[in-house]
Amino acid sequence: MMLRPAEYALARWISFAGMLGVLLAWGGGTDVFAQAPPAAGPKPAAAAKDNTRYWTTSWNFDSVDVKRLNERLDTLGVGVPIEMEGTVSVNLNVSVPLNALTDTKKYRLEGLVRSPRLKLEQLVLEDFQTHVQIADGVMSVDKISGRLIDAAGPQRSRQVNRSRGGTVSGSATLQLSPLGEIDASITTEAVAIQPLHELILAIQSVGDQQPLHGVVSGEIQFRAPLRTIREIRSWNAKTQLRIDALARGDALPLDIPSASISIADGVLMANDLQIRSTESADLSASLQGRIELERQQRFSFAIRANDLPLDVLAQLAGANANRFAAGQVDLDATATGELAQQKWTMAGRVASPRLSIAGVQLGLIEHAFEFDQQHLKLEPAGASSSPPRDDLIVQDVRANYTLQDRRWVLSQIDAHLFGGEISGEASVALDKQDSSTLNLNWRGLSPNVNAQLFSLADVVLSARSSGKIDWTLPAGDWSRLADQSGDVQIQLDSIKVGDADIGQMDLVISKSDDALKLTADGNLFGGDVKVETQSDVTADMTWQDLWQRPSQIRLSVNRIRIDRLVAVLPQRSWLAPRFRQLRGLVSAEIDLDGALDSSQQDAPLRSTAKIQLDHLSLASVQITHRLEIELRTRGSSVDVDKVAGIYAGGRITARGQWDLLENDGHIDVQVAAVDASPSIRLLSDSVADFVEGKLSGQFHVSGGRSIRARGAVQAHDAVVAGIPVGDANSGLLASYSLGSGQWDASFSSIHGEVARGRLRGVAKLKSSYRPNRFDMTSQWSFERVNFAKFIADAGGGSFSYANGQVRGKLSLGGEAIASSDDLRGSFSTELDGSQASAIPGLSEAQRFLGAVPLAGIRIEDGRLDGTITRGRARIDEFVLSSPQLKVWADGYVQLDNLRMDVEAVISTGNFQTSQLMEVYLQIASFTSLSPVALFIRINQLLSNRTIYVDVAGTLYDPKLRLRPLATLRDEVARYIVSEVLGLNCAVFGSENPFQGQN
């Protein structure tokens, strides 16, 4: 016998319950199937009265692992696609009528379902319990109770009352046989919305990055026939809810203190729906309305809002505020009508200090509107009694429309907005088999659009636009491109990015047959720009598919000014702020073929490009006169076929391959005779200010987390921090981080020639924690350096042919270096044989020393030690010694200009041992002499051939000023007598000068 639908459904349910029992047994820790004695069956009296014999069994499942159970259900294709943990216990008595199996009213089921803790995604249900009963064809679920808690804890949102969790209780009955009504009642208190929202999204397999916060409390009563449960007009329902802190992400939270909505007798009513916010005292909204769900479908509603945030409402609806609406709105509107007769009237006022729709800035809105089944009018409030307002972007919009032959015809469009006007007509088909048409003209429109609408930078785009559109498109689905045709002509003048005027452009878009074409021609950034594109259109293609389907694009630019281009690019696109000082011209011919959407692996975008850079400079420093680049791309892979041209006064060539997404690849670069300072300036301004000369080298550049370069560099006539290092070569290892902008460069083995001598060293430079500065450490050694030539090379003075050589060591470095004032170091040198006339200043001293010729004196013993700090080289000790000449000096030399501030003592004569002993014996009788007095006495005994001078001027042009010996400092005199002349004079005190002498 065929079962009726309700009976069949109940029988299937009980059969499924039996199968579920088996699965519960698999998932549980303990289980018991037991056939109860006859007395244990439900309602034995009733069974005896109607002579129904029952088979009764008790199902008891303790601590069933729901995760394991769901995995087993999933193997049967009925699993739930969510993460779940916890245990469930089920205790049921099931009675099956053995002699009335087809009578669904005879089946009996009663018991409890319990869970101490059940986690579904982030929703935790604690202390859950409900009573389930099926009898006489009625299913009852009552005594529902439990606590709902957010598993992530209260710290992840600003919701209130999260630590205690929310509670839920209620009951429900379903009349299953015969099929009747469902009657349910649910009460909630402080239930968090976020875990419920995440659970629904998980079941629907929908991703949502922004969480939905809020706490809901209230009551829901619902009754409806099961046969027509999908028809709202058959419902009888009533809700009384309160929602606190409703927000998506970090948006402004909204409170709904009262939400009373009911459906009864085919009428939907909303009574005093309120919106408030504790974080915005001025925000308020109230709505009340009524609509009949059948017959004439009469409706009426009234809404009043103050400072209603459209962007917050858009976010709550899951929409992008930048692409929908943004701004605060005041609204006062009423509406009445009959939907069945297609009659309605809506009128009111709307105001906003700054309104944006789909990224377009509408500015100040203070308008009145009227809207019925034939007319639309929007105009400034009080327009009939006041003159036109210049402070409004949207002036007025008027149009007539009619509904005829399943077509909505919009005519006599007359709109004044964005400083221009729109006119024309449109016909919108309501039959999906028909087509809609647009015939519009506009002139002088100047809208402002935020570039974030196109996922670009947060910057306003604007232009003055005129044009016309003649377009036919299918009804119902305007996104379908295959069934569309027409032409669009657009003239854009005064195109601006932010406040920068970048030029003008004319565009033509046409769709005919199976192709969509776009051509653009204009002047942008001071140069000529031309674009030609064509995309083949397939039957199922949409506008959005344009980015994902192959297209052919040809882009030609001629002599675009780089400074105007970089001025409008977003700040985040620059590796360093100094690149905003780029100047020059760029021309290019680029052909692209493929899908613009980079995620389309089956049709990656391919391109070939020939680019020419002319007169490229960084601020006032020219980088290249002309550089030619040839590239090929496939997706994110770039093949650099050619880079060649004049770079920093020399030649550069390069070729290689690079992956833009992985930031990895290899490029081989060669430079020849480039000027050091401008070539390095692209990396660091501060380093560029420290170097001069010519550089050549070969480098292998590779990528990864940072760009790395390995190779060799050769320098010619190089100068570092004002110090000539001549010709040198070294290995190079460098890296540059695109993310942080940090860089470092190591020169591991520097070998070179300087001033006819040899130079060796190691150096490491890296970017500093302070912008536009760098850190450095270096160690140098040199030998047989002709210091006369060295000084001449450093200062640009004339070179003396007198011979003088030194050897020594130099340590030089510093942190956050911006100038020579930040350098720190030390130096130690020894004389490696020299003529006296080669020593800076000694030739100038000749005029103070009388007839003693310095040109013929050769110095074999000398040393110079000192430190470098605060932009000066401090001479701690400078001593020259020969049988005919003694020199001592100390002081400073300024590094940036080689100016000196030195005091020196120069003494000539016969410093043989016998003569010095004679002097020593003569002064031994003096007691308690000061060092200066003793030195003056020694000078007198040595025929007054000692002078004390101040040395100024520069190293290559010293100036000497004679000073009295009496002004000599005591410590200087003591040092000269004891260390330079080698006299052990105890007369500096009152001791016997011969004491301790043999």
Side-chain angles (χ1 to χ4, degrees), residues 962-977:
L962 195 62
R963 295 181 60 180
L965 285 176
T967 62
L968 197 64
R969 290 177 283 128
D970 281 351
E971 61 272 19
V972 174
R974 180 184 292 109
Y975 181 84
I976 294 173
V977 171

Side-chain angles (χ1 to χ4, degrees), residues 502-513:
I502 65 172
Q504 61 83 27
M505 182 72 70
D506 294 337
L507 298 94
V508 176
I509 303 172
S510 63
K511 166 63 173 62
S512 60
D513 299 329

Side-chain angles (χ1 to χ4, degrees), residues 372-654:
D372 60 25
Q373 65 273 11
Q374 291 183 335
H375 307 284
L376 167 67
K377 182 172 70 173
L378 175 70
E379 62 182 9
S384 58
S385 59
S386 59
R389 296 178 56 176
D390 296 332
D391 57 340
L392 298 179
I393 294 177
V394 178
Q395 289 291 335
D396 59 82
V397 178
R398 289 178 172 83
N400 296 333
Y401 56 89
T402 58
L403 184 62
Q404 55 187 15
D405 298 330
R406 298 192 57 79
R407 180 174 292 274
W408 191 55
V409 179
L410 189 65
S411 61
Q412 299 182 18
I413 300 173
D414 185 12
H416 298 83
L417 64 166
F418 300 112
E421 59 185 41
I422 301 176
S423 61
E425 59 186 20
S427 176
V428 181
L430 302 180
D431 190 338
K432 292 184 178 181
Q433 305 303 318
D434 207 343
S435 298
S436 301
T437 59
L438 294 175
N439 293 281
L440 299 176
N441 297 274
W442 68 94
R443 180 168 58 88
L445 300 186
S446 301
N448 295 331
V449 180
N450 194 311
Q452 282 188 336
L453 177 66
F454 312 107
S455 301
L456 300 176
D458 186 10
V459 64
V460 174
L461 307 177
S462 63
R464 186 172 61 250
S465 169
S466 299
K468 64 179 181 179
I469 178 172
D470 184 1
W471 205 264
T472 301
L473 63 164
D477 187 2
W478 290 13
S479 65
R480 287 196 349 253
L481 188 55
D483 299 329
Q484 301 185 26
S485 62
D487 297 284
V488 181
Q489 299 178 18
I490 306 173
Q491 298 85 45
L492 299 176
D493 298 314
S494 301
I495 304 173
K496 291 185 177 181
V497 179
D499 295 328
D501 192 331
I502 65 172
Q504 61 83 27
M505 182 72 70
D506 294 337
L507 298 94
V508 176
I509 303 172
S510 63
K511 166 63 173 62
S512 60
D513 299 329
D514 297 327
L516 178 70
K517 298 179 181 180
L518 180 147
T519 60
D521 195 352
N523 185 282
L524 297 178
F525 305 107
D528 297 328
V529 177
K530 187 174 183 179
V531 181
E532 297 178 357
T533 73
Q534 177 171 321
S535 299
D536 295 330
V537 178
T538 58
D540 59 343
M541 192 170 180
T542 67
W543 285 100
Q544 187 175 2
D545 292 335
L546 282 175
W547 299 94
Q548 303 171 348
R549 303 291 178 88
S551 300
Q552 296 82 45
I553 303 174
R554 181 171 182 80
L555 172 63
S556 174
V557 299
N558 183 38
R559 299 180 68 80
I560 281 182
R561 287 178 50 182
I562 296 176
D563 59 327
R564 294 184 61 179
L565 177 62
V566 301
V568 302
L569 293 179
Q571 184 69 35
R572 66 183 181 185
S573 67
W574 291 105
L575 304 181
R578 67 178 178 276
F579 288 117
R580 288 194 174 273
Q581 302 179 56
L582 282 171
R583 304 289 184 268
L585 301 172
V586 59
S587 301
E589 295 289 338
I590 304 174
D591 291 309
L592 301 99
D593 187 359
L596 297 178
D597 187 350
S598 60
S599 64
Q600 300 302 308
Q601 301 296 327
D602 56 339
L605 183 65
R606 293 180 173 88
S607 71
T608 59
K610 293 184 178 181
I611 304 170
Q612 179 175 301
L613 300 176
D614 292 312
H615 308 295
L616 181 67
S617 64
L618 188 63
S620 60
V621 180
Q622 187 172 37
I623 304 299
T624 178
H625 175 70
R626 172 167 291 184
L627 193 64
E628 297 178 350
I629 304 171
E630 294 183 6
L631 305 173
R632 290 177 295 112
T633 70
R634 185 180 187 275
S636 62
S637 178
V638 180
D639 290 312
V640 182
D641 295 330
K642 174 186 175 182
V643 176
I646 305 299
Y647 177 74
R651 295 287 302 176
I652 184 172
T653 59

Side-chain angles (χ1 to χ4, degrees), residues 232-443:
I232 299 179
R233 61 188 179 185
S234 68
W235 293 5
N236 278 275
K238 182 178 181 181
T239 65
Q240 189 72 38
L241 299 178
R242 184 184 77 251
I243 302 177
D244 298 321
L246 179 64
R248 187 179 290 274
D250 295 327
L252 180 74
L254 302 178
D255 299 328
I256 304 177
S258 175
S260 177
I261 302 174
S262 64
I263 300 176
D265 300 325
V267 177
L268 171 64
M269 297 186 65
N271 297 319
D272 196 24
L273 180 64
Q274 304 266 346
I275 298 177
R276 300 284 188 271
S277 177
T278 56
E279 297 187 14
S280 178
D282 295 332
L283 188 156
S284 65
S286 62
L287 171 69
Q288 55 185 7
R290 180 182 186 276
I291 180 171
E292 298 176 359
L293 302 177
E294 51 190 357
R295 293 186 293 275
Q296 298 300 316
Q297 297 181 355
R298 297 184 180 92
F299 73 90
S300 65
F301 72 83
I303 181 172
R304 176 170 293 182
N306 183 70
D307 289 351
L308 191 64
L310 296 183
D311 51 345
V312 174
L313 297 181
Q315 284 182 281
L316 283 177
N320 187 323
N322 290 321
R323 302 192 178 200
F324 177 68
Q328 295 181 335
V329 170
D330 297 342
L331 180 64
D332 188 357
T334 60
T336 59
E338 296 180 2
L339 296 178
Q341 300 297 322
Q342 296 181 353
K343 296 180 180 179
W344 63 86
T345 298
M346 181 183 295
R349 294 192 175 193
V350 60
S352 175
R354 188 175 181 84
L355 183 63
S356 172
I357 302 295
V360 179
Q361 298 292 336
L362 301 182
L364 176 65
I365 299 293
E366 291 181 352
H367 289 69
F369 61 88
E370 297 179 7
F371 178 46
D372 60 25
Q373 65 273 11
Q374 291 183 335
H375 307 284
L376 167 67
K377 182 172 70 173
L378 175 70
E379 62 182 9
S384 58
S385 59
S386 59
R389 296 178 56 176
D390 296 332
D391 57 340
L392 298 179
I393 294 177
V394 178
Q395 289 291 335
D396 59 82
V397 178
R398 289 178 172 83
N400 296 333
Y401 56 89
T402 58
L403 184 62
Q404 55 187 15
D405 298 330
R406 298 192 57 79
R407 180 174 292 274
W408 191 55
V409 179
L410 189 65
S411 61
Q412 299 182 18
I413 300 173
D414 185 12
H416 298 83
L417 64 166
F418 300 112
E421 59 185 41
I422 301 176
S423 61
E425 59 186 20
S427 176
V428 181
L430 302 180
D431 190 338
K432 292 184 178 181
Q433 305 303 318
D434 207 343
S435 298
S436 301
T437 59
L438 294 175
N439 293 281
L440 299 176
N441 297 274
W442 68 94
R443 180 168 58 88

Side-chain angles (χ1 to χ4, degrees), residues 777-795:
T777 58
S778 67
Q779 302 290 332
W780 306 85
S781 65
F782 49 90
E783 58 184 18
R784 304 188 65 80
V785 173
N786 188 315
F787 56 81
K789 178 173 174 52
F790 179 85
I791 293 171
D793 292 344

Side-chain angles (χ1 to χ4, degrees), residues 563-858:
D563 59 327
R564 294 184 61 179
L565 177 62
V566 301
V568 302
L569 293 179
Q571 184 69 35
R572 66 183 181 185
S573 67
W574 291 105
L575 304 181
R578 67 178 178 276
F579 288 117
R580 288 194 174 273
Q581 302 179 56
L582 282 171
R583 304 289 184 268
L585 301 172
V586 59
S587 301
E589 295 289 338
I590 304 174
D591 291 309
L592 301 99
D593 187 359
L596 297 178
D597 187 350
S598 60
S599 64
Q600 300 302 308
Q601 301 296 327
D602 56 339
L605 183 65
R606 293 180 173 88
S607 71
T608 59
K610 293 184 178 181
I611 304 170
Q612 179 175 301
L613 300 176
D614 292 312
H615 308 295
L616 181 67
S617 64
L618 188 63
S620 60
V621 180
Q622 187 172 37
I623 304 299
T624 178
H625 175 70
R626 172 167 291 184
L627 193 64
E628 297 178 350
I629 304 171
E630 294 183 6
L631 305 173
R632 290 177 295 112
T633 70
R634 185 180 187 275
S636 62
S637 178
V638 180
D639 290 312
V640 182
D641 295 330
K642 174 186 175 182
V643 176
I646 305 299
Y647 177 74
R651 295 287 302 176
I652 184 172
T653 59
R655 61 184 302 134
Q657 186 274 335
W658 204 268
D659 191 294
L660 298 178
L661 289 181
E662 300 296 334
N663 188 37
D664 201 1
H666 60 87
I667 297 178
D668 294 314
V669 182
Q670 289 186 330
V671 294
V674 300
D675 291 330
S677 181
S679 65
I680 295 175
R681 194 165 298 278
L682 287 176
L683 177 66
S684 170
D685 286 330
S686 52
V687 175
D689 292 337
F690 265 73
V691 296
E692 298 176 19
K694 294 287 187 177
L695 297 178
S696 299
Q698 307 83 35
F699 315 105
H700 180 78
V701 181
S702 58
R705 289 189 174 182
S706 60
I707 297 177
R708 300 178 302 278
R710 182 188 299 271
V713 60
Q714 301 86 42
H716 180 66
D717 292 336
V719 178
V720 179
I723 301 174
V725 296
D727 298 338
N729 59 79
S730 174
L732 170 67
L733 182 62
S735 67
Y736 188 99
S737 172
L738 292 174
S740 64
Q742 299 295 304
W743 58 267
D744 64 78
S746 298
F747 301 87
S748 55
S749 56
I750 303 172
H751 298 271
E753 295 182 359
V754 55
R756 300 176 180 172
R758 291 191 296 272
L759 175 72
R760 289 180 173 82
V762 294
K764 182 174 183 179
L765 292 79
K766 64 177 182 178
S767 53
S768 172
Y769 67 96
R770 298 177 61 182
N772 301 322
R773 294 172 180 254
F774 68 97
D775 300 340
M776 180 179 72
T777 58
S778 67
Q779 302 290 332
W780 306 85
S781 65
F782 49 90
E783 58 184 18
R784 304 188 65 80
V785 173
N786 188 315
F787 56 81
K789 178 173 174 52
F790 179 85
I791 293 171
D793 292 344
S798 60
F799 168 54
S800 170
Y801 287 96
N803 184 34
Q805 295 179 339
V806 294
R807 61 178 179 273
K809 296 181 179 180
L810 169 66
S811 174
L812 189 64
E815 294 182 354
I817 300 172
S819 68
S820 58
D821 293 344
D822 304 311
L823 292 174
R824 302 288 185 271
S826 62
F827 54 90
S828 175
T829 65
E830 295 181 1
L831 198 65
D832 200 11
S834 173
Q835 294 174 287
S837 57
I839 307 299
L842 284 187
S843 297
E844 178 73 11
Q846 179 69 70
R847 58 191 177 92
F848 301 116
L849 296 173
V852 178
L854 294 178
I857 298 177
R858 181 169 179 82

